[in-house]
Amino acid sequence: MKQEIMTIISQQQLAPRIFQMTLTGDLVNEMEKPGQFIHIKVPRVDMLLRRPISINQIDKEAKTCTIIYRTEGDGTKVFAELTTGDTLDVMGPLGNGFDVECLTAGQKAYVIGGGIGIPPMYELSKQLKQRGIEVVHFLGYASKEVAYFQDEFIALGDTRFATDDGSFGVEGNVGNLLLDAVQKEQPDAVYACGANGMLKMIAQVFSDNPNVFLSLEQRMACGMGACYACVCHVPDDETGTKSVKVCDEGPIFRASEVVL
Ligand code: FAD
Ligand code: FES
């Protein structure tokens, strides 16, 4: 993990409230695993806490990394106002990242993303594909209007879409797509990032599969394991005192390791 002032080389809006930003700096040399995140200082003196954002793409040759974020509160709104040439104070890469080594060439992975949980699944899918693993994407959005990155995923493999309002793909959440798929085949591993309800459903649908990797989201402060702001409970803990820290022990856990 390092800290660096990175330079924005591009920023564009992909959909309402959804932005893609590409940054350059030496920090990219440290980025290896999909599912890791960077912790970005908001360039405003009254905002002390950094904002955690997943790495969407790593390009070591170009020395760039890309993030995709949705404006929520003041911090992400400040990010959206930045332009090419502006700089950001970035710490990273943080977190454990997805385990891609549990699979071998020829095996099949289900890659599942919901809403603003979709960005890290792109670098994951790219790396799985490079390892000869067959990827099937299941992507869920609120509506067609806020959908993004569809073509990029299609270029990597079989991609199925769901929207809450049915304006694009199957109507409903990705659960509908998954229930249909698992009647025909079982994947060797499942990777997911999205809302807690979606992760719970995935843990249930694939309860017999030991390779179900879920990316959790918790509010964070330090982002590096020191403050315990981001804890999540573990199963079979009768005292309720055991927990894991999402920032440094996660954000990716096997479904069997955490209480969702
Ligand atoms: P505010 O609501 O004003 O934020 C107030 C405080 O709460 C800040 O400290 C903020 O960091 C924290 N906070 C608010 N919402 C969240 C949240 N959902 N998760 C964690 N902290 C939160 N969002 C994206 O759009 N794209 C991503 O790729 C992405 N990756 C993430 C990866 C991880 C590991 C985590 C934990 C969160 C990720 N998020 C991502 C969520 C993102 O961090 C929040 O949307 C963002 O911090 C909101 O900041 P804000 O100032 O706009 O909102
Ligand atoms: Fe401080 Fe996780 S955010 S320990």
Side-chain angles (χ1 to χ4, degrees):
M1 190 273 295
K2 284 194 173 160
Q3 183 180 349
E4 189 189 11
I5 305 298
M6 299 187 81
T7 305
I8 298 170
I9 58 165
S10 68
Q11 158 118 288
Q12 57 170 319
Q13 187 161 4
L14 301 181
R17 291 176 54 210
I18 312 264
F19 294 82
Q20 180 179 34
M21 180 191 282
T22 302
L23 296 152
T24 186
D26 290 337
L27 211 74
V28 177
N29 296 331
E30 311 291 314
M31 297 178 182
E32 301 288 345
K33 287 186 151 192
Q36 289 190 294
F37 64 97
I38 53 177
H39 215 20
I40 312 175
K41 190 168 183 336
V42 183
R44 240 177 61 177
V45 282
D46 58 330
M47 290 195 205
L48 297 178
L49 292 179
R50 290 171 181 269
R51 270 46 176 176
I53 303 285
S54 303
I55 298 166
N56 160 252
Q57 283 176 75
I58 307 164
D59 186 337
K60 295 229 178 202
E61 256 175 53
K63 226 167 130 180
T64 61
C65 69
T66 302
I67 55 171
I68 293 179
Y69 62 94
R70 184 169 65 201
T71 54
E72 297 289 347
D74 288 346
T76 44
K77 282 180 189 146
V78 169
F79 294 158
E81 286 163 9
L82 302 173
T83 56
T84 305
D86 287 340
T87 56
L88 279 172
D89 180 338
V90 179
M91 248 171 59
L94 295 170
N96 55 356
F98 285 109
D99 179 357
V100 293
E101 282 164 15
C102 67
L103 294 179
T104 51
Q107 289 192 298
K108 181 173 280 196
Y110 277 11
V111 174
I112 308 163
I116 203 60
I118 290 171
M121 308 319 275
Y122 182 70
E123 178 64 30
L124 168 69
S125 193
K126 235 174 63 184
Q127 293 197 17
L128 288 170
K129 198 149 186 250
Q130 278 161 6
R131 297 171 64 87
I133 290 145
E134 190 189 338
V135 287
V136 185
H137 309 119
F138 299 86
L139 305 181
Y141 305 90
S143 68
K144 185 177 183 188
E145 198 199 2
V146 295
Y148 59 94
F149 246 56
Q150 302 98 308
D151 291 344
E152 288 82 350
F153 279 97
I154 289 170
L156 292 179
D158 183 356
T159 306
R160 306 171 195 183
F161 299 101
T163 47
D164 295 343
D165 65 0
S167 53
F168 174 55
V170 163
E171 183 173 350
N173 59 38
V174 284
N176 296 344
L177 294 171
L178 286 171
L179 292 175
D180 185 45
V182 294
Q183 281 173 7
K184 296 166 196 143
E185 62 176 13
Q186 284 295 331
D188 299 294
V190 178
Y191 300 91
C193 183
N196 211 46
M198 184 190 93
L199 300 183
K200 267 188 189 168
M201 176 273 296
I202 289 166
Q204 275 168 12
V205 171
F206 298 102
S207 57
D208 293 336
N209 189 326
N211 291 326
V212 178
F213 300 97
L214 308 177
S215 182
L216 306 195
E217 199 178 282
Q218 284 284 356
R219 291 197 169 223
M220 292 181 181
C222 72
M224 45 200 270
C227 73
Y228 286 79
C230 63
V231 292
C232 170
H233 290 291
V234 298
D236 305 324
D237 171 25
E238 281 155 25
T239 58
T241 52
K242 292 185 199 145
S243 58
V244 283
K245 288 173 285 174
V246 172
C247 67
D248 71 340
E249 294 171 86
I252 289 108
F253 296 93
R254 283 181 195 265
S256 56
E257 291 174 338
V258 282
V259 176
L260 296 165

